[in-house]
């Protein structure tokens, strides 16, 4: 399995047909994109240090939030391809009924757009591009994926 073919691998194993993501609603793309973003961040943190779940959760919570995703979208905008910008805009402008309690309405809309983009990239077997954007966003925002040291906790 190629490293950026996870979605295709899942589709194949469950004997489903490949979907045309152009027909997906932006909120559907954001739904899967949220999980993909979360998985990328959790993978970074878990691989960095094997600590208690509480420590892992604290580190993940600092990165997997609307403000961080909104900031990434802002700082990466000029580097997005035209189609990627269109997907982001569709997600950002989608009618959202609930806003996270720790986010402003604007940040939440931007985060939804960013998640929609990550979701589309994932479903279109462009996981490598999604990971690149997250990594580039973290670097440009000077975000350290882990502020902890490996304290040798093993479970």
């Amino acid at each position: 399995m190629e490293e950026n073919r996870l979605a295709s691998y899942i589709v194949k194993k469950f004997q489903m047909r490949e979907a045309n993501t152009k027909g997906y609603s932006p909120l559907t793309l954001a739904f899967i994109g949220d999980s993909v973003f979360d998985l990328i961040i959790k993978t970074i943190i878990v691989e960095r240090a094997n600590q208690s779940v509480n420590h892992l959760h604290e580190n993940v919570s600092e990165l997997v939030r609307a403000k961080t995703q909104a900031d990434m979208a802002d700082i990466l905008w000029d580097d997005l391809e035209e189609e990627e910008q269109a997907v982001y805009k569709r997600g950002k402008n989608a009618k959202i009924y609930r806003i996270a309690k720790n986010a402003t309405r604007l940040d939440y809309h931007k985060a939804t757009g960013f998640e929609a983009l990550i979701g589309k990239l994932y479903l279109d077997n462009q996981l490598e591009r999604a990971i690149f954007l997250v990594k580039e966003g973290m670097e440009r925002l000077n975000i350290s994926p882990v502020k902890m040291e490996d304290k040798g906790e093993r479970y």
Side-chain angles (χ1 to χ4, degrees):
M1 180 178 75
E2 293 180 34
E3 67 176 315
N4 64 343
R5 303 279 182 209
L6 180 59
S8 285
Y9 183 74
I10 293 169
V11 167
K12 179 181 173 186
K13 286 298 178 185
F14 285 88
Q15 300 172 349
M16 302 180 299
R17 63 176 177 80
E18 294 274 345
N20 178 358
T21 57
K22 291 183 193 274
Y24 280 31
S25 80
L27 294 179
T28 298
L29 295 173
F31 175 78
I32 191 79
D34 175 60
S35 295
V36 173
F37 183 82
D38 186 66
L39 180 62
I40 293 167
I41 299 300
K42 284 182 176 178
T43 300
I44 293 166
I45 289 175
V46 166
E47 289 294 327
R48 179 78 174 179
N50 184 11
Q51 293 195 335
S52 71
V53 173
N54 287 336
H55 285 115
L56 296 171
H57 179 72
E58 288 172 14
N59 284 285
V60 168
S61 296
E62 288 183 32
L63 297 174
V64 179
R65 58 190 183 114
K67 176 68 174 145
T68 302
Q69 292 171 332
D71 290 345
M72 283 186 184
D74 286 341
I75 206 160
L76 294 169
W77 176 257
D78 291 334
D79 297 313
L80 298 181
E81 297 172 8
E82 189 175 320
E83 182 182 353
E84 292 173 340
Q85 288 179 347
V87 171
Y88 167 79
K89 284 180 184 177
R90 284 182 55 221
K92 180 181 174 222
N93 294 329
K95 188 167 185 131
I96 301 171
Y97 297 99
R98 290 188 219 148
I99 304 294
K101 62 183 174 184
N102 297 325
T104 67
R105 180 169 288 280
L106 179 59
D107 282 347
Y108 198 78
H109 278 274
K110 288 179 179 181
T112 301
F114 188 70
E115 290 172 344
L117 173 57
I118 297 298
K120 176 153 180 26
L121 291 171
Y122 168 74
L123 291 173
D124 285 345
N125 296 310
Q126 297 180 47
L127 184 57
E128 190 173 315
R129 174 71 173 159
I131 291 169
F132 171 81
L133 291 173
V134 172
K135 183 176 187 297
E136 189 71 17
M138 290 173 70
E139 288 174 358
R140 291 186 190 180
L141 293 170
N142 200 25
I143 295 173
S144 172
V146 186
K147 294 179 179 170
M148 67 204 171
E149 296 291 322
D150 182 353
K151 297 183 175 28
E153 298 177 30
R154 303 286 180 231
Y155 297 94

